[in-house]
Amino acid sequence: MLTSRFLLTALAASTLFAGMSPLAAEPYRLGVRDKLSIRVVEWRAVEGEFRDWAGVAGDYSVDAAGNIYLPFVGEVAATGKTTTEIAKTIGETLQQKFALPDRPDAAVQVAEYRPFFIDGDVKSPGEYPYAPELTVLKAVSVAGGMRRSSDSGSRPEKDLITARGNFDVASDQSVRLLVQRARLDAEMANKTEFEAPEEVRKNPNLPAIMADERALLDTRRKKLEVGLKSLADLKVVLENQVSSLEEKIKSQTRQVELAREELKSVGGLQQKGLVANTRVLSSEQSVAEMEGKILDYEMAILQARQSISEADKDASDLQNTRNSDVATERQEVQRALSEAVMKTGTQRQLIVEAADFASLAATEGESSLPPLRYTLTRTVDGKTTKLDADENTPVLPGDVLKVVQPLPPVAIQ
C-alpha cells in the first residue's frame, strides 16, 4: 500500500515539474515534434490498490497537425497546451469513456523537446536537439562556433554540398514514405494494386520504389489469403463431417426402430414360452447400444459445430489484427513523412544561406568585421515573430536562430 501511495505521489510530482518551461519562468507550451512520455495509474478503492494502465503508457510525438494519439483516448490536441493540461485531458477522457468513479492520474513529461535550428555564419548550421537553459551563445557553440573565412574545413562550397546532400536524402525519404503510405491505403481498402502519388511521379527513383512496395503488398495479401483459406477449408471439412454424422443418425435411428419391432415380437414369443429369456435380453442390449451410438453422433456434431464457430472467430480475428497493424503502420509512416517534409524545408533554406555566404569569404580580415547580428524567429499560437537577440537571449524549442556577420563598409574612392 505504501509503495502504491508513493507511486501516485511521484506521478503527481512529475506531472507538475513536467509542465514547467525549459526556463522555469512559465509553463512550457508544446509544439510539433515534441516527444512526450506518458504514464497513467488508477486508484481502485474496492480492491485497495492501484492499476497501471500499461496500454496507454509510452512515448508519443506531437505530429505535424499538432496532435498526439493514444490508445483508448484517441486524438488529443497538443500544440499550445501544457503537459498538465494534457494529463488532465487524458484522465477525464478515460474516466468518461469507461465510466470510472474516479479520474485516473496521468503523468506527462517532455521526454525530448522539439529541436531548434541555427543558420547563417556558423560552422555547422542545421537542426540540433534542444537542451534546457539554452542561450544564443550556447547555441552558436553547439553549431561549432563562428565560420571563419580562413578555415578550409568550412568553405562555402563545402557547406553548400553538405546542405544539398542532406536535402537529397530528405527528399528521397519523403518519396519513399509517400509511396509506402499509398501502399498502406491500398491494403486498408483490400486492393490488389495501387498507383504512385501524383507529386512523385516524375521522380527518377520511382520505378524501383514502386516495385518494392508492390512486391510487399502482394506478399502480405497472399499471407492473409492463405490464412483465411486455411480456415475456410477447415470449415468445409467440419461441415461435411456434420452432414455425414447427421446421415449416420438417420440410419441408426432406423435400425433402432427395426430392433424395437424385433424386440416387441420376441417379447410376445417369450410370453408364450416359445423363446428363452436370454434372447429378449440380447435384443434389449442391442437396442441400447444403437441408441448409445446416436448420442455419440449427436455429441460429435456439437463439437464440430463448435469448431466451425471457432474457425469463424479466428478468421475475423485474423482480418481485424491485420487491419489494426496496417492502421498503426500508416500512422507511423505519416509521422515520419511529416518530419521528412520539415527537414527538406530546413535543408532548402540552408542551401540558400550557404550560397549567400560566398560573398563573406572575400572579406579582408575578421578583426575589422562589424559586430555579429542575432535574430530569433519564434512561432507562438500560430503567429511567427522575429526578435533581435544578444548572446544571453534564451533560445526556446522550435526557434530558428540566424547568425549574420555583416560585411565591413566599403570605402568610397
Side-chain angles (χ1 to χ4, degrees):
M1 178 68 71
L2 291 176
T3 302
S4 298
R5 293 183 182 276
F6 176 78
L7 175 61
L8 181 59
T9 303
L11 285 171
S14 65
T15 303
L16 174 62
F17 289 110
M20 301 303 293
S21 74
L23 302 175
E26 60 181 14
Y28 176 62
R29 301 289 173 177
L30 299 172
V32 175
R33 297 182 67 182
D34 277 333
K35 294 184 179 180
L36 305 178
S37 178
I38 297 176
R39 187 177 179 188
V40 180
V41 296
E42 172 198 354
W43 169 249
R44 293 189 163 187
V46 177
E47 294 85 353
E49 60 183 17
F50 285 96
R51 172 190 177 185
D52 190 356
W53 287 69
V56 180
D59 294 335
Y60 301 88
S61 296
V62 181
D63 62 22
N67 304 313
I68 58 174
Y69 185 88
L70 285 77
F72 307 114
V73 178
E75 191 174 75
V76 178
T79 299
K81 301 292 184 63
T82 66
T83 52
T84 302
E85 292 170 339
I86 296 296
K88 181 180 179 182
T89 299
I90 293 172
E92 290 177 347
T93 302
L94 291 174
Q95 183 182 17
Q96 295 174 3
K97 189 169 186 178
F98 294 97
L100 302 176
D102 297 311
R103 189 180 77 190
D105 291 291
V108 181
Q109 293 177 300
V110 179
E112 181 179 325
Y113 292 101
R114 59 189 184 274
F116 73 95
F117 305 87
I118 183 169
D119 65 2
D121 301 330
V122 293
K123 283 189 176 181
S124 302
E127 169 186 319
Y128 290 92
Y130 178 83
E133 300 183 1
L134 185 69
T135 63
V136 168
L137 183 60
K138 291 179 181 179
V140 172
S141 177
V142 168
M146 293 303 300
R147 175 165 42 190
R148 301 176 184 273
S149 60
S150 60
D151 186 356
S152 61
S154 60
R155 299 188 309 270
E157 295 85 355
K158 181 178 178 180
D159 294 339
L160 187 58
I161 292 173
T162 300
R164 283 175 176 169
N166 292 336
F167 175 81
D168 290 341
V169 170
S171 297
D172 181 72
Q173 184 182 16
S174 297
V175 173
R176 294 180 182 276
L177 290 170
L178 283 168
V179 176
Q180 188 176 353
R181 186 179 66 179
R183 187 257 302 167
L184 291 169
D185 288 340
E187 282 194 67
M188 294 178 69
N190 293 319
K191 295 181 179 179
T192 60
E193 186 56 86
F194 70 98
E195 297 297 329
E198 182 68 29
E199 56 266 44
V200 300
R201 290 183 180 177
K202 295 181 180 180
N203 189 282
N205 299 325
L206 183 61
I209 298 174
M210 286 292 295
D212 291 341
E213 292 297 328
R214 280 173 173 158
L216 182 57
L217 174 65
D218 188 58
T219 299
R220 292 169 62 154
R221 176 180 58 81
K222 288 180 179 179
K223 181 180 179 181
L224 177 63
E225 289 177 351
V226 168
L228 294 175
K229 186 177 184 303
S230 177
L231 292 170
D233 292 343
L234 176 60
K235 282 184 59 180
V236 171
V237 171
L238 292 171
E239 288 169 352
N240 290 337
Q241 182 180 348
V242 170
S243 299
S244 176
L245 290 170
E246 288 175 343
E247 292 299 322
K248 288 183 178 181
I249 288 176
K250 291 180 182 179
S251 176
Q252 196 72 8
T253 301
R254 178 57 180 163
Q255 292 183 29
V256 169
E257 292 174 353
L258 294 175
R260 287 188 178 280
E261 291 178 1
E262 180 182 359
L263 177 60
K264 182 178 180 181
S265 176
V266 171
L269 295 175
Q270 187 268 341
Q271 290 178 358
K272 295 178 181 179
L274 299 178
V275 296
N277 291 336
T278 55
R279 174 72 181 278
V280 175
L281 292 175
S282 176
S283 297
E284 290 177 345
Q285 184 177 3
S286 177
V287 170
E289 289 176 353
M290 287 187 285
E291 290 178 339
K293 285 185 178 181
I294 292 177
L295 292 176
D296 292 339
Y297 292 152
E298 291 175 344
M299 180 60 68
I301 288 175
L302 290 175
Q303 293 174 347
R305 286 175 174 165
Q306 183 178 1
S307 297
I308 291 174
S309 298
E310 291 176 354
D312 287 332
K313 181 179 180 299
D314 290 343
S316 178
D317 290 345
L318 182 62
Q319 186 72 50
N320 291 337
T321 299
R322 176 258 195 182
N323 292 341
S324 177
D325 291 344
V326 171
T328 300
E329 185 177 353
R330 190 190 186 285
Q331 182 182 3
E332 180 61 26
V333 167
Q334 183 61 48
R335 182 196 64 78
L337 179 60
S338 299
E339 291 187 359
V341 170
M342 285 189 286
K343 288 180 180 179
T344 301
T346 300
Q347 294 303 324
R348 182 184 289 110
Q349 184 176 359
L350 292 177
I351 290 173
V352 175
E353 293 295 332
D356 291 342
F357 184 73
S359 61
L360 294 178
T363 56
E364 296 179 356
E366 296 171 11
S367 60
S368 60
L369 292 178
L372 296 172
R373 287 207 306 264
Y374 305 105
T375 304
L376 282 173
T377 301
R378 181 173 298 167
T379 301
V380 179
D381 295 332
K383 297 180 179 179
T384 300
T385 57
K386 288 188 176 183
L387 309 171
D388 291 330
D390 57 36
E391 292 182 346
N392 297 318
T393 301
V395 178
L396 300 181
D399 282 356
V400 178
L401 171 62
K402 186 170 183 178
V403 182
V404 176
Q405 174 64 75
L407 291 171
V410 179
I412 300 177
Q413 302 296 331

